Amino acid sequence: MGNREDLLAGARRCLEEKGYLRTTVRDIAAASQVSMAAIGYHFGSREALLNQALFAAIDEWSDAVGGLAGEGESAEERFADMWDRKVRNFGELRWLWIANVEAFVHAQSSPELLAALAAGQRAARPHVAALLRGVPESEVAEADARSLGSVQIALMTGVMVQTLTDPEQAPTGRELAAGLRGLAALLDEGGGPGAAPGSGTTGGWKS
């Protein structure tokens, strides 16, 4: 490998061992056995190098799991199995998801990184909607991308944080399916935030 590839591999090791925020230029240089000056020459900055290493790891994960499609006879069983697989994956690749969270925090003071994360999020919506629909991405309507895609991404982010915070109490796939059914029932029956006490199947939500 050349210096550029060595630096990417070293940055990947640093992300696994130290995370996004605590990794320094010196750490990357030591892990890659390349001079610190080479980071600026090839990538411009520590941040740009870490971003490339992180995005490459995410792409690698995405290619490997293929959407983590679930198995089962019914749609609900396949949905539950898919989420059980995702929860296990969050635990197995804990370093990757923690690095994602740290990158999001850092992006609030880095317009370039924030723009890259936003672009990735926009691209992910139709992709995950297509996986849920079982159709090619080219056949996903904008409305589905904005609804199904956004909800699935929201679930992924929320379940990921819950799993990283309290792995033993992470929600199961069946619990998530039941929760979505419960939310749908609240919407159908007029319950939810702001509903009158006793309305809906659960008697309304606590504020």
Side-chain angles (χ1 to χ4, degrees):
M1 292 192 298
N3 282 354
R4 182 181 178 85
E5 291 75 21
D6 288 338
L7 286 168
L8 282 168
R12 164 72 173 259
R13 286 195 293 274
C14 288
L15 286 172
E16 293 180 10
E17 297 169 4
K18 304 194 66 160
Y20 187 98
L21 295 177
R22 292 193 299 124
T23 292
T24 66
V25 169
R26 190 177 299 277
D27 293 330
I28 299 171
S32 59
Q33 296 186 326
V34 176
S35 70
M36 290 187 286
I39 294 175
Y41 177 79
H42 288 286
F43 295 94
S45 67
R46 160 197 164 277
E47 177 183 304
L49 171 53
L50 282 178
N51 292 346
Q52 285 201 34
L54 177 60
F55 295 155
I58 294 171
D59 288 342
E60 181 183 311
W61 166 81
S62 181
D63 291 341
V65 301
L68 291 178
E71 298 178 356
E73 294 185 3
S74 69
E76 183 166 341
E77 287 174 342
R78 291 191 295 273
F79 179 88
D81 184 58
M82 173 190 71
W83 274 105
D84 286 337
R85 292 168 185 243
K86 287 184 184 294
V87 169
R88 286 196 297 272
N89 181 263
F90 293 148
E92 292 166 356
L93 290 177
R94 184 179 178 85
W95 72 267
L96 177 59
W97 306 114
I98 290 176
N100 268 272
V101 173
E102 291 182 331
F104 169 77
V105 171
H106 178 65
Q108 305 314 302
S109 59
S110 172
E112 182 178 350
L113 177 56
L114 190 63
L117 293 177
Q121 185 169 273
R122 293 190 196 104
R125 289 192 185 107
H127 178 69
V128 297
L131 291 174
L132 289 172
R133 287 288 192 194
V135 300
E137 192 171 326
S138 59
E139 296 181 15
V140 173
E142 176 65 16
D144 269 357
R146 294 288 301 174
S147 56
L148 282 176
S150 295
V151 169
Q152 183 75 341
I153 291 173
L155 278 174
M156 285 190 66
T157 303
V159 173
M160 174 190 73
V161 171
Q162 290 183 61
T163 303
L164 295 177
T165 303
D166 189 4
E168 293 183 359
Q169 292 297 317
T172 67
R174 289 190 178 278
E175 288 171 338
L176 290 171
L180 287 176
R181 288 191 181 281
L183 284 173
L186 286 172
L187 292 174
D188 288 342
E189 298 181 20
S199 65
T201 58
T202 65
W205 291 7
K206 292 182 178 180
S207 59

mmCIF file of all heavy atoms in Angstrom, residues 116-158:
data_model
loop_
_atom_site.group_PDB
_atom_site.id
_atom_site.type_symbol
_atom_site.label_atom_id
_atom_site.label_comp_id
_atom_site.label_asym_id
_atom_site.label_seq_id
_atom_site.Cartn_x
_atom_site.Cartn_y
_atom_site.Cartn_z
ATOM 1 N N ALA A 116 -21.964 16.753 4.422
ATOM 2 C CA ALA A 116 -21.751 15.373 3.967
ATOM 3 C C ALA A 116 -22.723 14.425 4.647
ATOM 4 O O ALA A 116 -23.286 13.523 4.009
ATOM 5 C CB ALA A 116 -20.309 14.950 4.254
ATOM 6 N N LEU A 117 -22.952 14.614 5.946
ATOM 7 C CA LEU A 117 -23.905 13.766 6.665
ATOM 8 C C LEU A 117 -25.323 13.983 6.154
ATOM 9 O O LEU A 117 -26.102 13.036 6.015
ATOM 10 C CB LEU A 117 -23.830 14.054 8.163
ATOM 11 C CG LEU A 117 -22.530 13.664 8.869
ATOM 12 C CD1 LEU A 117 -22.566 14.086 10.333
ATOM 13 C CD2 LEU A 117 -22.278 12.169 8.759
ATOM 14 N N ALA A 118 -25.661 15.245 5.863
ATOM 15 C CA ALA A 118 -26.995 15.541 5.344
ATOM 16 C C ALA A 118 -27.207 14.889 3.979
ATOM 17 O O ALA A 118 -28.281 14.346 3.692
ATOM 18 C CB ALA A 118 -27.194 17.053 5.244
ATOM 19 N N ALA A 119 -26.173 14.930 3.139
ATOM 20 C CA ALA A 119 -26.280 14.306 1.817
ATOM 21 C C ALA A 119 -26.466 12.797 1.951
ATOM 22 O O ALA A 119 -27.260 12.182 1.221
ATOM 23 C CB ALA A 119 -25.038 14.624 0.994
ATOM 24 N N GLY A 120 -25.747 12.202 2.875
ATOM 25 C CA GLY A 120 -25.897 10.770 3.101
ATOM 26 C C GLY A 120 -27.286 10.418 3.591
ATOM 27 O O GLY A 120 -27.864 9.393 3.196
ATOM 28 N N GLN A 121 -27.843 11.260 4.438
ATOM 29 C CA GLN A 121 -29.192 11.023 4.960
ATOM 30 C C GLN A 121 -30.227 11.117 3.853
ATOM 31 O O GLN A 121 -31.160 10.300 3.781
ATOM 32 C CB GLN A 121 -29.479 12.057 6.049
ATOM 33 C CG GLN A 121 -30.788 11.865 6.777
ATOM 34 C CD GLN A 121 -30.885 12.750 7.995
ATOM 35 O OE1 GLN A 121 -30.448 12.394 9.080
ATOM 36 N NE2 GLN A 121 -31.432 13.938 7.815
ATOM 37 N N ARG A 122 -30.078 12.101 2.964
ATOM 38 C CA ARG A 122 -31.021 12.241 1.846
ATOM 39 C C ARG A 122 -30.960 11.020 0.933
ATOM 40 O O ARG A 122 -31.985 10.554 0.434
ATOM 41 C CB ARG A 122 -30.698 13.507 1.046
ATOM 42 C CG ARG A 122 -30.934 14.806 1.801
ATOM 43 C CD ARG A 122 -30.824 16.008 0.878
ATOM 44 N NE ARG A 122 -30.671 17.234 1.638
ATOM 45 C CZ ARG A 122 -29.528 17.896 1.781
ATOM 46 N NH1 ARG A 122 -28.432 17.434 1.188
ATOM 47 N NH2 ARG A 122 -29.475 18.994 2.490
ATOM 48 N N ALA A 123 -29.744 10.527 0.704
ATOM 49 C CA ALA A 123 -29.591 9.356 -0.166
ATOM 50 C C ALA A 123 -30.124 8.097 0.499
ATOM 51 O O ALA A 123 -30.594 7.176 -0.190
ATOM 52 C CB ALA A 123 -28.113 9.174 -0.527
ATOM 53 N N ALA A 124 -30.069 8.043 1.826
ATOM 54 C CA ALA A 124 -30.498 6.842 2.543
ATOM 55 C C ALA A 124 -32.019 6.675 2.530
ATOM 56 O O ALA A 124 -32.512 5.539 2.568
ATOM 57 C CB ALA A 124 -29.995 6.887 3.982
ATOM 58 N N ARG A 125 -32.761 7.764 2.512
ATOM 59 C CA ARG A 125 -34.226 7.662 2.601
ATOM 60 C C ARG A 125 -34.814 6.785 1.495
ATOM 61 O O ARG A 125 -35.533 5.826 1.797
ATOM 62 C CB ARG A 125 -34.858 9.058 2.591
ATOM 63 C CG ARG A 125 -34.644 9.860 3.861
ATOM 64 C CD ARG A 125 -35.536 11.092 3.867
ATOM 65 N NE ARG A 125 -35.273 11.939 5.018
ATOM 66 C CZ ARG A 125 -34.650 13.114 4.969
ATOM 67 N NH1 ARG A 125 -34.230 13.583 3.799
ATOM 68 N NH2 ARG A 125 -34.441 13.828 6.062
ATOM 69 N N PRO A 126 -34.574 7.063 0.220
ATOM 70 C CA PRO A 126 -35.147 6.179 -0.815
ATOM 71 C C PRO A 126 -34.558 4.779 -0.776
ATOM 72 O O PRO A 126 -35.237 3.806 -1.126
ATOM 73 C CB PRO A 126 -34.806 6.899 -2.124
ATOM 74 C CG PRO A 126 -33.663 7.794 -1.796
ATOM 75 C CD PRO A 126 -33.866 8.209 -0.371
ATOM 76 N N HIS A 127 -33.309 4.661 -0.339
ATOM 77 C CA HIS A 127 -32.673 3.335 -0.287
ATOM 78 C C HIS A 127 -33.377 2.436 0.718
ATOM 79 O O HIS A 127 -33.732 1.296 0.393
ATOM 80 C CB HIS A 127 -31.197 3.499 0.077
ATOM 81 C CG HIS A 127 -30.473 2.200 0.213
ATOM 82 N ND1 HIS A 127 -30.212 1.367 -0.859
ATOM 83 C CD2 HIS A 127 -29.956 1.578 1.310
ATOM 84 C CE1 HIS A 127 -29.576 0.300 -0.444
ATOM 85 N NE2 HIS A 127 -29.408 0.387 0.863
ATOM 86 N N VAL A 128 -33.588 2.933 1.943
ATOM 87 C CA VAL A 128 -34.221 2.082 2.949
ATOM 88 C C VAL A 128 -35.698 1.876 2.636
ATOM 89 O O VAL A 128 -36.261 0.820 2.938
ATOM 90 C CB VAL A 128 -34.030 2.656 4.372
ATOM 91 C CG1 VAL A 128 -32.569 2.705 4.743
ATOM 92 C CG2 VAL A 128 -34.659 4.029 4.523
ATOM 93 N N ALA A 129 -36.347 2.867 2.009
ATOM 94 C CA ALA A 129 -37.741 2.683 1.599
ATOM 95 C C ALA A 129 -37.847 1.570 0.567
ATOM 96 O O ALA A 129 -38.786 0.768 0.599
ATOM 97 C CB ALA A 129 -38.308 3.991 1.052
ATOM 98 N N ALA A 130 -36.877 1.494 -0.344
ATOM 99 C CA ALA A 130 -36.868 0.437 -1.354
ATOM 100 C C ALA A 130 -36.684 -0.930 -0.701
ATOM 101 O O ALA A 130 -37.330 -1.910 -1.101
ATOM 102 C CB ALA A 130 -35.750 0.696 -2.365
ATOM 103 N N LEU A 131 -35.816 -1.014 0.310
ATOM 104 C CA LEU A 131 -35.627 -2.281 1.015
ATOM 105 C C LEU A 131 -36.917 -2.727 1.691
ATOM 106 O O LEU A 131 -37.268 -3.907 1.666
ATOM 107 C CB LEU A 131 -34.512 -2.136 2.050
ATOM 108 C CG LEU A 131 -33.089 -1.972 1.505
ATOM 109 C CD1 LEU A 131 -32.118 -1.704 2.649
ATOM 110 C CD2 LEU A 131 -32.659 -3.208 0.726
ATOM 111 N N LEU A 132 -37.631 -1.782 2.296
ATOM 112 C CA LEU A 132 -38.879 -2.121 2.975
ATOM 113 C C LEU A 132 -39.960 -2.543 1.979
ATOM 114 O O LEU A 132 -40.723 -3.474 2.240
ATOM 115 C CB LEU A 132 -39.361 -0.932 3.804
ATOM 116 C CG LEU A 132 -38.542 -0.595 5.054
ATOM 117 C CD1 LEU A 132 -39.013 0.723 5.655
ATOM 118 C CD2 LEU A 132 -38.648 -1.705 6.090
ATOM 119 N N ARG A 133 -40.019 -1.856 0.858
ATOM 120 C CA ARG A 133 -41.012 -2.177 -0.157
ATOM 121 C C ARG A 133 -40.649 -3.427 -0.948
ATOM 122 O O ARG A 133 -41.507 -4.054 -1.574
ATOM 123 C CB ARG A 133 -41.163 -1.001 -1.122
ATOM 124 C CG ARG A 133 -41.887 0.206 -0.565
ATOM 125 C CD ARG A 133 -43.360 -0.077 -0.420
ATOM 126 N NE ARG A 133 -44.131 1.143 -0.166
ATOM 127 C CZ ARG A 133 -45.379 1.145 0.251
ATOM 128 N NH1 ARG A 133 -45.995 -0.010 0.467
ATOM 129 N NH2 ARG A 133 -46.026 2.267 0.468
ATOM 130 N N GLY A 134 -39.376 -3.763 -0.978
ATOM 131 C CA GLY A 134 -38.926 -4.893 -1.791
ATOM 132 C C GLY A 134 -38.936 -4.580 -3.265
ATOM 133 O O GLY A 134 -39.211 -5.465 -4.092
ATOM 134 N N VAL A 135 -38.622 -3.318 -3.609
ATOM 135 C CA VAL A 135 -38.609 -2.891 -5.005
ATOM 136 C C VAL A 135 -37.295 -2.188 -5.294
ATOM 137 O O VAL A 135 -36.585 -1.776 -4.372
ATOM 138 C CB VAL A 135 -39.786 -1.931 -5.303
ATOM 139 C CG1 VAL A 135 -41.122 -2.614 -5.032
ATOM 140 C CG2 VAL A 135 -39.658 -0.648 -4.485
ATOM 141 N N PRO A 136 -36.947 -2.023 -6.581
ATOM 142 C CA PRO A 136 -35.750 -1.247 -6.918
ATOM 143 C C PRO A 136 -35.893 0.194 -6.442
ATOM 144 O O PRO A 136 -37.007 0.743 -6.387
ATOM 145 C CB PRO A 136 -35.689 -1.323 -8.447
ATOM 146 C CG PRO A 136 -36.492 -2.531 -8.813
ATOM 147 C CD PRO A 136 -37.571 -2.614 -7.785
ATOM 148 N N GLU A 137 -34.774 0.799 -6.102
ATOM 149 C CA GLU A 137 -34.812 2.174 -5.600
ATOM 150 C C GLU A 137 -35.426 3.132 -6.615
ATOM 151 O O GLU A 137 -36.070 4.122 -6.248
ATOM 152 C CB GLU A 137 -33.392 2.616 -5.237
ATOM 153 C CG GLU A 137 -33.324 3.908 -4.447
ATOM 154 C CD GLU A 137 -31.938 4.196 -3.926
ATOM 155 O OE1 GLU A 137 -31.215 3.230 -3.590
ATOM 156 O OE2 GLU A 137 -31.571 5.385 -3.861
ATOM 157 N N SER A 138 -35.257 2.831 -7.910
ATOM 158 C CA SER A 138 -35.801 3.700 -8.959
ATOM 159 C C SER A 138 -37.324 3.736 -8.946
ATOM 160 O O SER A 138 -37.927 4.646 -9.525
ATOM 161 C CB SER A 138 -35.308 3.231 -10.333
ATOM 162 O OG SER A 138 -35.713 1.891 -10.585
ATOM 163 N N GLU A 139 -37.949 2.749 -8.292
ATOM 164 C CA GLU A 139 -39.408 2.697 -8.267
ATOM 165 C C GLU A 139 -40.001 3.324 -6.994
ATOM 166 O O GLU A 139 -41.218 3.323 -6.815
ATOM 167 C CB GLU A 139 -39.876 1.236 -8.370
ATOM 168 C CG GLU A 139 -39.506 0.573 -9.691
ATOM 169 C CD GLU A 139 -40.000 -0.853 -9.768
ATOM 170 O OE1 GLU A 139 -40.862 -1.231 -8.935
ATOM 171 O OE2 GLU A 139 -39.537 -1.598 -10.659
ATOM 172 N N VAL A 140 -39.153 3.837 -6.126
ATOM 173 C CA VAL A 140 -39.639 4.422 -4.876
ATOM 174 C C VAL A 140 -40.127 5.847 -5.123
ATOM 175 O O VAL A 140 -39.386 6.690 -5.645
ATOM 176 C CB VAL A 140 -38.525 4.436 -3.806
ATOM 177 C CG1 VAL A 140 -38.978 5.194 -2.556
ATOM 178 C CG2 VAL A 140 -38.127 3.014 -3.448
ATOM 179 N N ALA A 141 -41.379 6.104 -4.773
ATOM 180 C CA ALA A 141 -41.937 7.446 -4.913
ATOM 181 C C ALA A 141 -41.338 8.380 -3.865
ATOM 182 O O ALA A 141 -40.938 7.944 -2.786
ATOM 183 C CB ALA A 141 -43.459 7.398 -4.759
ATOM 184 N N GLU A 142 -41.296 9.655 -4.170
ATOM 185 C CA GLU A 142 -40.753 10.640 -3.232
ATOM 186 C C GLU A 142 -41.512 10.613 -1.911
ATOM 187 O O GLU A 142 -40.913 10.756 -0.842
ATOM 188 C CB GLU A 142 -40.837 12.044 -3.853
ATOM 189 C CG GLU A 142 -40.384 13.179 -2.942
ATOM 190 C CD GLU A 142 -38.899 13.122 -2.595
ATOM 191 O OE1 GLU A 142 -38.152 12.398 -3.274
ATOM 192 O OE2 GLU A 142 -38.498 13.820 -1.635
ATOM 193 N N ALA A 143 -42.825 10.399 -1.990
ATOM 194 C CA ALA A 143 -43.628 10.356 -0.759
ATOM 195 C C ALA A 143 -43.204 9.194 0.130
ATOM 196 O O ALA A 143 -43.149 9.322 1.362
ATOM 197 C CB ALA A 143 -45.112 10.247 -1.104
ATOM 198 N N ASP A 144 -42.900 8.050 -0.472
ATOM 199 C CA ASP A 144 -42.435 6.899 0.313
ATOM 200 C C ASP A 144 -41.065 7.161 0.913
ATOM 201 O O ASP A 144 -40.783 6.766 2.049
ATOM 202 C CB ASP A 144 -42.370 5.646 -0.568
ATOM 203 C CG ASP A 144 -43.673 4.860 -0.535
ATOM 204 O OD1 ASP A 144 -44.592 5.267 0.212
ATOM 205 O OD2 ASP A 144 -43.778 3.849 -1.245
ATOM 206 N N ALA A 145 -40.193 7.809 0.136
ATOM 207 C CA ALA A 145 -38.864 8.132 0.655
ATOM 208 C C ALA A 145 -38.978 9.057 1.856
ATOM 209 O O ALA A 145 -38.276 8.885 2.865
ATOM 210 C CB ALA A 145 -38.010 8.764 -0.438
ATOM 211 N N ARG A 146 -39.880 10.026 1.769
ATOM 212 C CA ARG A 146 -40.033 11.004 2.844
ATOM 213 C C ARG A 146 -40.751 10.422 4.059
ATOM 214 O O ARG A 146 -40.521 10.862 5.170
ATOM 215 C CB ARG A 146 -40.819 12.223 2.342
ATOM 216 C CG ARG A 146 -40.116 13.031 1.287
ATOM 217 C CD ARG A 146 -38.949 13.818 1.845
ATOM 218 N NE ARG A 146 -39.370 14.735 2.908
ATOM 219 C CZ ARG A 146 -38.527 15.457 3.633
ATOM 220 N NH1 ARG A 146 -37.228 15.344 3.439
ATOM 221 N NH2 ARG A 146 -38.974 16.270 4.556
ATOM 222 N N SER A 147 -41.605 9.422 3.852
ATOM 223 C CA SER A 147 -42.340 8.845 4.972
ATOM 224 C C SER A 147 -41.673 7.567 5.471
ATOM 225 O O SER A 147 -41.073 7.544 6.553
ATOM 226 C CB SER A 147 -43.794 8.569 4.567
ATOM 227 O OG SER A 147 -43.858 7.729 3.426
ATOM 228 N N LEU A 148 -41.723 6.506 4.691
ATOM 229 C CA LEU A 148 -41.117 5.235 5.098
ATOM 230 C C LEU A 148 -39.624 5.388 5.375
ATOM 231 O O LEU A 148 -39.106 4.889 6.387
ATOM 232 C CB LEU A 148 -41.313 4.180 4.007
ATOM 233 C CG LEU A 148 -42.682 3.516 3.902
ATOM 234 C CD1 LEU A 148 -42.699 2.584 2.700
ATOM 235 C CD2 LEU A 148 -43.012 2.746 5.168
ATOM 236 N N GLY A 149 -38.935 6.072 4.468
ATOM 237 C CA GLY A 149 -37.497 6.238 4.634
ATOM 238 C C GLY A 149 -37.149 7.002 5.891
ATOM 239 O O GLY A 149 -36.253 6.614 6.649
ATOM 240 N N SER A 150 -37.863 8.103 6.143
ATOM 241 C CA SER A 150 -37.576 8.919 7.317
ATOM 242 C C SER A 150 -37.872 8.177 8.615
ATOM 243 O O SER A 150 -37.102 8.253 9.579
ATOM 244 C CB SER A 150 -38.392 10.221 7.269
ATOM 245 O OG SER A 150 -37.994 11.026 6.178
ATOM 246 N N VAL A 151 -38.982 7.442 8.653
ATOM 247 C CA VAL A 151 -39.336 6.691 9.860
ATOM 248 C C VAL A 151 -38.325 5.590 10.130
ATOM 249 O O VAL A 151 -37.895 5.375 11.277
ATOM 250 C CB VAL A 151 -40.763 6.115 9.742
ATOM 251 C CG1 VAL A 151 -41.035 5.118 10.862
ATOM 252 C CG2 VAL A 151 -41.788 7.240 9.795
ATOM 253 N N GLN A 152 -37.886 4.890 9.076
ATOM 254 C CA GLN A 152 -36.921 3.810 9.267
ATOM 255 C C GLN A 152 -35.579 4.361 9.774
ATOM 256 O O GLN A 152 -34.943 3.768 10.652
ATOM 257 C CB GLN A 152 -36.726 3.048 7.960
ATOM 258 C CG GLN A 152 -35.784 1.848 8.057
ATOM 259 C CD GLN A 152 -36.401 0.651 8.765
ATOM 260 O OE1 GLN A 152 -37.375 0.768 9.492
ATOM 261 N NE2 GLN A 152 -35.816 -0.515 8.558
ATOM 262 N N ILE A 153 -35.151 5.498 9.231
ATOM 263 C CA ILE A 153 -33.908 6.111 9.701
ATOM 264 C C ILE A 153 -34.058 6.573 11.145
ATOM 265 O O ILE A 153 -33.135 6.421 11.961
ATOM 266 C CB ILE A 153 -33.505 7.287 8.787
ATOM 267 C CG1 ILE A 153 -33.077 6.762 7.421
ATOM 268 C CG2 ILE A 153 -32.357 8.094 9.409
ATOM 269 C CD1 ILE A 153 -32.821 7.851 6.400
ATOM 270 N N ALA A 154 -35.221 7.132 11.473
ATOM 271 C CA ALA A 154 -35.464 7.544 12.856
ATOM 272 C C ALA A 154 -35.409 6.347 13.803
ATOM 273 O O ALA A 154 -34.842 6.421 14.898
ATOM 274 C CB ALA A 154 -36.819 8.245 12.961
ATOM 275 N N LEU A 155 -35.994 5.225 13.378
ATOM 276 C CA LEU A 155 -35.928 4.009 14.183
ATOM 277 C C LEU A 155 -34.493 3.529 14.347
ATOM 278 O O LEU A 155 -34.060 3.168 15.446
ATOM 279 C CB LEU A 155 -36.765 2.904 13.534
ATOM 280 C CG LEU A 155 -38.270 2.926 13.787
ATOM 281 C CD1 LEU A 155 -38.952 1.855 12.937
ATOM 282 C CD2 LEU A 155 -38.593 2.709 15.252
ATOM 283 N N MET A 156 -33.739 3.531 13.262
ATOM 284 C CA MET A 156 -32.363 3.065 13.332
ATOM 285 C C MET A 156 -31.551 3.905 14.308
ATOM 286 O O MET A 156 -30.811 3.375 15.139
ATOM 287 C CB MET A 156 -31.716 3.108 11.943
ATOM 288 C CG MET A 156 -32.171 2.009 11.009
ATOM 289 S SD MET A 156 -31.185 1.928 9.492
ATOM 290 C CE MET A 156 -29.602 1.431 10.143
ATOM 291 N N THR A 157 -31.700 5.226 14.214
ATOM 292 C CA THR A 157 -30.937 6.106 15.097
ATOM 293 C C THR A 157 -31.356 5.907 16.548
ATOM 294 O O THR A 157 -30.514 5.767 17.440
ATOM 295 C CB THR A 157 -31.142 7.571 14.695
ATOM 296 O OG1 THR A 157 -30.772 7.745 13.319
ATOM 297 C CG2 THR A 157 -30.287 8.494 15.556
ATOM 298 N N GLY A 158 -32.655 5.876 16.789
ATOM 299 C CA GLY A 158 -33.142 5.732 18.154
ATOM 300 C C GLY A 158 -32.812 4.390 18.775
ATOM 301 O O GLY A 158 -32.385 4.315 19.935
#
